[in-house]
Amino acid sequence: MRSDSGHPDNEDHFLLVRSGGHRCAIPVGAAKLVTKAPKVYPLPSSALRLLGLAQVAGEPVAVVDLHAILDPDGCPGGGHELTVIVRTRGGGSAIGLAIDEAFGVISVGRQWQRSTDDPGWVTGRMTMDGRTVVILDPEQLFVPASAD
Amino acid sequence: MQVERRTSILRQWLGMAILTVVILVGGVMLEITSDGDKEEWYIDAWMVLGIAALASHLVLVSLPRVRLERAHRELEQRHARQCTILEESLEEMRHGDLVEFLGRVDQLPEVMSEAVQAAAQAISALVQQIQTSSVEVATSAGTVHATSAELVEGASQQAAAVVEITATTEELARTAGQIATSAGGQAEFVAKAQDAGNKGAISLEGAVQGVGELRHGIEAIADRADILGKRSREIYRVLDLITEIAQETHILALNAAIEASAAGEHGDRFGVVAEEVRRLAERSRESVESVRQLLDGFSESIRSVVVATEEGSKSAVQVLEQSRSTQDAIEQLRSALADTAGAAREISLATDEQRTASNQVVLTLREISEVIQRTADSFQQFTDSAERLSGLALSIQLLTQSFRTDSGHSLKNQVLGWSDRLRDSTANLEVVEGVLAEVVRNFPYIEIAYLVDTSGSMVAFEVNRTVVEDHRLKVTVSPGQAFADRPWFQAVSRDQRTAVTPPYVSLLTDDRCFTIAAAVRNRSGAMIGILGVDVNVRSWTSI
C-alpha cells in the first residue's frame, strides 16, 4: 500500500478493500465512488449475492455482496459498512459492491499470478503483508451468463 | 356323822356323870348316917347303884364305842381305797391323760366322782378353749407379724425416702443459695449491662446520625456520578460525531485518491494530499477509538461508582434501618435488662427465703426421719413381739397337746387311737402300712408316720408326698434305721406314756415340726412298739 508521487507505467493502481476475511483489489479505473452503505431495497426472488437496489447520487444502483461472490459457500457477509460503486468500461450501469472496509489506493507492479482454477473475474493473486489479495476484474464480474 | 359324834360324847359324859353322882350320893349318905343298920343299907344301896351305874356305862358308853370304832376302821379302809383311786387318777391327770382320768374317777363315790368329772370336763373344755385361743392367737400373731413386717419395711422405705428427700432438700437449699448468689451477681451484671446499654444507645444514636450523613454523602456522590455519566454520554455523542466525520473524511480521501489516480500524472499531488487526508482521518479515527476506550474505562468506572454508590446508599439505608432496629432492640434490651434486674433481685430474695424454708424443711424432715426410725424400731419390736407371741402360741398349743382329751383336736388322743388299731397287727406289715398311709392321707399336716419296735428299729413308715420332697426321703429315712436315741423313743420307753416333743427343725422339710409318740400295746398291756408321727408346724397352724 503506497501512494507514490511518481506514476510509473509498469504499476497498476487498485483500491484495496476487505470483505469478510478476504482482501480484494479493485482497479482504480473501475472504481467510481466509495460511499457509506446506502439504504438498500431488496428485490424479490433475487440471487443471494444481489442485496437489492439503492439510490446513489440520484442514480439507481444494484448493490452486490462481494463476500457472497468471493465465498459463495460461506456464510453471507454482515458488515457492509461501505459500498464501492464500479462502472464497466463500456459505460454500462453502475454496480455497487458492498464491502466492509476500504484501505486506500495502492500502486503495485504487475507481479501477480493467475491460476487456471481462478474464475474469470479474478485477474490474479498477490501477497501483501503476508495476506493474499485477490485482484478483481469488474468487467468479468458482471458479464451475463449467456456471454460465457 | 356329827350327830353320832355328839351322841358318843354325850354317852361318855353320861357314864362319868352317873358314876360321879353314885359316888357323891353314897359318900353323902355315909356322912350323914350314924345308924349302923342304915349304914349297911346305905352301903348295899350304894353298891346296887354302883353296879347299876357300871351296867349303864357298859350299855350306854362302851358298846357304842366299840361299834363306832368298827365303823371308823371301815371308813378308813374305804377312804384309803378312794385315795388310791384318786392318786392314780391324779397321776393320769399329771400326765395329761384326761380320758384315762375320767375313766378312773368313775370308781369314786358318786358325789366325788361327779365333782371330779365336772372338774376334769372343765379342765378339758379349758384345754380345748386354750388350744382354740392359742390357734387364734397364733393366727393373729402371724397376721400382726406379717403386718408389722410390712410396716417395718414400709417404715424403712419411708425412712429411706425421707433421707433421700432430706438430701434432695439440702441440695435444694444449697442450690437455692447458689441461685441467690447467682441472682445477686446477675443483678450486678444486669446493672453493668444497663450502663453499657445506655452508653451503647448513645453511641448508636451517634452512629445513626453518622450513617445518615454518610447516606447523604453517598447520595451526593451518586448525583455527581450521574452527572459524570451524563457528561460521558455527551462525550460519546461527540466522539460518535468525530468518528462519523473521520469516516466521512476517510471516504472523501478515498474518493479523492481514486479521482487523483484516475487523473493520472495530474492527480499525483492531489493523490498525495488525499492520502494524507485519509491518514489523518485514520489517525483521527484511531484517536477517537483510544478516547472511546479511555471513555469506556471512565464510563465503566462511573458505572461502578454509580453501582457502588447505589449499593452504598442501599447499604447505608440498610445500616440506618438496622441501626434504628438495633436502637429499638437496645431500648427493648434496656427495658428487658431493667425487668431482668428486678426479676433477679426478686429471685435473689425468693431463693433466700426458699433456702431458709428448705433449711426448716430439712430440720423437720430430720425430725420426721427420727420419728420414722423410732416408729420402725417400734414396729420391729412389734414384729419381734409378734414373733415371740407366735412362738408362745405354738408353745401353748403344744402344751395343750400334752393333754389328751376326747376331742378330734387332741393329737394325743388321735395317736392313741391309731396305736389301738395296731394293737394286734404289728406283725402284719401290710396292715401297718395301710394304717400309716391312711393316717398320712387323712392328716395333711403330718410329714411322716412310722412304727418302730421296742428296740428303736424302724419297722415301717409312710411319708406325706405333698409335704416332703423325694430326694430328702432317700437320704434320711430307711427301714431298720435306729431311732433308739431319739427323745420321743426314750420318753415313751421310760414312762410308758404318750410323749410330745418340743419343736425342732425337720430333716425332711427344713420346717419346724414336733413328734407325738405313743406306745402300741398288746391285749395284755405290754408295749410291743411305738407309733410316731411328725407334725409339720406350718401346715398344722395353717389348718
Side-chain angles (χ1 to χ4, degrees), chain B residues 172-173 175-181 183 344-358:
Chain B
L172 185 64
T175 306
Q178 292 175 355
I179 290 172
T181 306
R345 283 191 291 275
E346 290 179 0
I347 288 171
S348 180
L349 292 173
T351 48
D352 248 348
E353 293 176 357
Q354 185 181 358
R355 180 172 52 183
T356 306
S358 297

Side-chain angles (χ1 to χ4, degrees), chain B residues 319-345:
Chain B
V319 169
L320 193 59
E321 291 176 353
Q322 288 175 355
S323 298
R324 284 173 179 160
S325 299
T326 306
Q327 202 172 14
D328 294 339
I330 286 177
E331 195 59 38
Q332 292 176 358
L333 181 63
R334 289 170 63 192
S335 175
L337 284 172
D339 295 341
T340 304
R345 283 191 291 275

Side-chain angles (χ1 to χ4, degrees), chain B residues 50-73:
Chain B
I51 290 168
L54 286 173
S56 63
H57 183 269
L58 182 63
V59 172
L60 295 174
V61 177
S62 297
L63 287 177
R65 177 178 294 173
V66 170
R67 284 198 299 271
L68 188 61
E69 286 177 353
R70 189 184 304 124
H72 186 256
R73 281 196 299 273

Side-chain angles (χ1 to χ4, degrees), chain A residues 1 3-7 13 15 28 31-36 81-82 101-105, chain B residues 244 247-248 250-251 254-255 257-259 261-262 264-265 268 271-272 275 278-279 282 285:
Chain A
M1 193 186 305
S3 180
D4 294 331
S5 59
H7 206 257
H13 303 282
L15 177 64
V28 171
K32 181 184 178 183
L33 180 66
V34 178
T35 180
K36 292 174 66 177
E81 297 285 336
L82 300 173
E101 190 175 5
F103 297 108
V105 177
Chain B
E244 191 176 350
Q247 193 173 7
E248 292 290 341
H250 178 70
I251 291 170
L254 285 174
N255 289 323
I258 291 169
E259 290 298 329
S261 180
E265 294 179 355
D268 284 347
V272 171
E275 181 62 21
R278 190 191 64 81
R279 288 181 179 174
E282 185 71 21
R285 195 172 62 181

